[in-house]
Amino acid sequence: MLIDTHCHINFPDKFPNPEETIEEARIAGVGQMIAIGCDTETSRAAVEIADRFPSVYAVVGWHPTYTKDYTRDALTEIEQMLAHPKVVALGEIGLDFHWDFATREEQEVALFDQLDLAVRADIPVVFHCREAYPELLDILEKRPHHPYLLHCFAGNLDDAMRAIDLGAMFGVDGPITYKNAHGLRDVVRQIPPERLVVETDSPYMPPVPFRGQPNKPAYVAHVNAALADVLGISPEECADLTTKNATAFFRLA
């Protein structure tokens, strides 16, 4: 069984027929999916879809590029969602210096508030980080260790080693399949296998051979096969490995 640890099937404009998407994933060997929120509205939708489908879990929180609209009052609802039995992490939170939808200050206010909430709630954290790994790691290194997952990891080897020292997990996505992603594959080889999980970030970043099309949870099988090749193991061994890792991190057992 595979677990797609990061998808946005809770976005109704992208996945208007979630039943069909989930069934297609099941046929492809994907037994569980984790729907990720980006603000209060999409987090609420993640909880609702997790309620409807036994194979779906939810992660709730404020994505850094959405934080221009973040308020501490809004965090109260996120905190209430964390009590839901199918909410398995806080996220995706972090820093994004690629886009200018929210200032660094706005992003950091939401980040610090949510990190504190994760500690209070004793729940894992899923990070979005783009062009900001040194800055995010600087912040995390000053805090007590906590269960962290760096979704769609795209940092360099130094970033990876710093995150490993924090005990972090790493999400592997479609880019691992891209022809020119030699640097990413080299970094992934240096990460302990017990720190790796697979994800799609559907509908974004589809793997080969689906580039240019909307991504789907079913396609995590292609990510798994590419990761298996990088690690020098069979796809079945990689599926067992990443499922075990995801189950432990998200406390699904």
Side-chain angles (χ1 to χ4, degrees):
M1 183 187 76
L2 288 160
I3 299 177
D4 182 358
T5 60
H6 196 112
C7 61
H8 296 289
I9 57 173
N10 49 311
F11 289 8
D13 58 326
K14 305 296 185 183
F15 293 98
N17 189 346
E19 294 92 343
E20 181 179 298
T21 299
I22 292 166
E23 176 61 12
E24 184 179 13
R26 186 194 65 78
I27 292 169
V30 185
Q32 294 174 328
M33 288 143 273
I34 300 179
I36 310 292
C38 293
D39 58 9
T40 303
E41 181 180 357
T42 55
S43 293
R44 195 182 302 122
V47 175
E48 289 171 355
I49 201 168
D51 256 340
R52 289 175 58 196
F53 299 99
S55 62
V56 179
Y57 293 85
V59 171
V60 300
W62 280 80
H63 186 293
T65 63
Y66 286 62
T67 53
K68 182 168 287 295
D69 298 322
Y70 167 80
T71 66
R72 289 191 166 119
D73 286 343
L75 194 60
T76 300
E77 186 173 352
I78 295 294
E79 185 167 10
Q80 292 168 348
M81 292 182 204
L82 293 178
H84 191 284
K86 293 197 77 180
V87 172
V88 294
L90 177 67
E92 57 187 292
I93 73 173
L95 297 173
D96 189 315
F97 296 163
H98 179 80
W99 303 107
D100 61 358
F101 300 128
T103 67
R104 177 169 178 170
E105 180 180 7
E106 289 167 335
Q107 293 183 42
E108 288 187 348
V109 167
L111 173 61
F112 282 108
D113 284 353
Q114 292 180 101
L115 286 172
D116 290 343
L117 173 57
V119 172
R120 293 198 306 273
D122 185 27
I123 197 162
V125 175
V126 174
F127 287 104
H128 169 100
C129 187
R130 189 168 184 186
E131 298 177 13
Y133 284 102
E135 293 83 359
L136 178 61
L137 292 165
D138 284 345
I139 290 168
L140 299 182
E141 286 167 348
K142 294 179 174 68
R143 300 178 63 90
H145 283 201
H146 192 82
Y148 296 141
L149 192 162
L150 295 170
H151 145 66
C152 189
F153 183 72
N156 60 31
L157 185 57
D158 180 63
D159 300 327
M161 292 301 105
R162 291 175 68 185
I164 287 169
D165 287 343
L166 291 170
M169 303 288 288
F170 299 79
V172 179
D173 303 65
I176 196 77
T177 71
Y178 298 171
K179 179 179 178 181
N180 295 323
H182 306 297
L184 173 62
R185 288 186 284 270
D186 288 342
V187 170
V188 169
R189 287 188 188 96
Q190 304 304 312
I191 296 173
E194 65 272 14
R195 303 287 188 87
L196 298 169
V197 298
V198 288
E199 50 183 53
T200 60
D201 201 21
S202 322
Y204 313 109
M205 295 189 303
V208 173
F210 303 104
R211 295 191 74 177
Q213 304 175 32
N215 202 357
K216 304 177 182 180
Y219 296 166
V220 79
H222 295 268
V223 176
N224 179 74
L227 176 60
D229 185 62
V230 168
L231 298 180
I233 60 178
S234 71
E236 293 78 13
E237 290 172 311
C238 195
D240 288 344
L241 169 73
T242 58
T243 295
K244 179 181 178 181
N245 294 346
T247 298
F249 178 78
F250 290 106
R251 307 169 184 174
L252 301 180

